[in-house]
Amino acid sequence: MPTSLPPRQTALSGTNFLDGQFLVAMPGMADERFARSVIYICAHSSDGAMGIIVNKPAIDISMPDLLVQLDVAPEADAIRLRERVGHMPVLMGGPVEGRRGFVLHSDDFHIAQSTLIIDDGICLTATVEILRAIASGEGPANAVLALGYAGWQAGQLESEIMANGWLNCQADPSLIFAADLDAKYDRTLRENGIDPAMLSASVGRA
């Protein structure tokens, strides 16, 4: 994992850190890159925050093709890979380090010194070893690969939430791994008691 990731904490000046929560983009989100985004927050502290967009696909790339391109698996294994990991989404995880892979996965897989345990059985690993394990069928039971991540400097995310750019809410681990990316935004809102049709730019924090 990058050494720059902020450490997991529990409180800051009376404000809870958001590790393991979802951020849902509000209708008034000014940055089009994050419109209708659902972001899983992997790390949040007084130094900043890092998260993965879990509902936007990477363009024109599949998991089997990516494993071959990265030389994780030989091209001769393409058919086997399609059967094994063809269902696994490749996400556009965010605008930072867009060529780097980050795997959100279940906690049945762990690499010492590399896997970040987040919350509710969800982990993050950003090494090629997890891709090799996935390609060989020895990886986690549930996983999604994201290219890039979303990052915030100290105090930036808090300011954006206060300005109604984001709604922070409880994360549903099953939604992280759900294959129907288009449905995640509305499902996340409904699971938190919000009718997407009634959502307006004036809604505040959950």
Side-chain angles (χ1 to χ4, degrees):
M1 290 298 302
T3 57
S4 60
L5 284 186
R8 178 176 172 81
Q9 301 181 37
T10 56
L12 172 64
S13 302
T15 302
N16 291 331
F17 288 121
L18 305 179
D19 312 51
Q21 290 195 31
F22 277 153
L23 289 180
V24 183
M26 300 296 288
M29 169 58 65
D31 192 332
E32 286 298 319
R33 296 174 300 175
F34 296 108
R36 288 183 60 86
S37 288
V38 178
I39 298 180
Y40 182 71
I41 296 297
C42 302
H44 184 204
S45 77
S46 57
D47 296 325
M50 175 268 189
I52 301 291
I53 300 174
V54 297
N55 68 323
K56 295 196 174 184
I59 303 301
D60 297 328
I61 189 69
S62 69
M63 189 65 172
D65 291 341
L66 189 62
L67 293 176
V68 171
Q69 289 181 18
L70 295 175
D71 292 325
V72 172
E75 189 171 357
D77 286 351
I79 294 177
R80 178 180 60 83
L81 289 172
R82 282 195 291 272
E83 294 174 349
R84 180 172 290 163
V85 300
H87 65 284
M88 187 179 297
V90 180
L91 306 174
M92 192 286 290
V96 184
E97 294 193 55
R99 297 180 64 86
R100 185 175 181 185
F102 298 83
V103 180
L104 281 172
H105 59 92
S106 49
D107 62 2
D108 53 342
F109 183 91
H110 186 272
I111 298 176
Q113 308 302 317
S114 297
T115 296
L116 174 68
I117 300 172
I118 303 171
D119 198 13
D120 290 331
I122 305 299
C123 300
L124 179 72
T125 303
T127 63
V128 71
E129 284 79 12
I130 190 171
L131 297 180
R132 293 193 181 105
I134 289 171
S136 65
E138 299 175 354
N142 296 296
V144 291
L145 172 65
L147 300 179
Y149 67 93
W152 294 264
Q153 298 177 349
Q156 182 182 0
L157 177 56
E158 291 84 349
S159 296
E160 291 180 7
I161 291 174
M162 292 299 295
N164 293 327
W166 299 101
L167 179 77
N168 62 283
C169 57
Q170 188 68 32
D172 178 352
S174 68
L175 272 178
I176 294 172
F177 306 117
D180 188 355
L181 303 184
D182 291 339
K184 287 185 181 182
Y185 185 84
D186 288 352
R187 283 183 60 190
T188 299
L189 291 173
R190 289 194 179 96
E191 286 190 6
N192 285 277
I194 300 170
D195 182 351
M198 301 299 292
L199 190 65
S200 72
S202 63
V203 178
R205 288 186 297 170

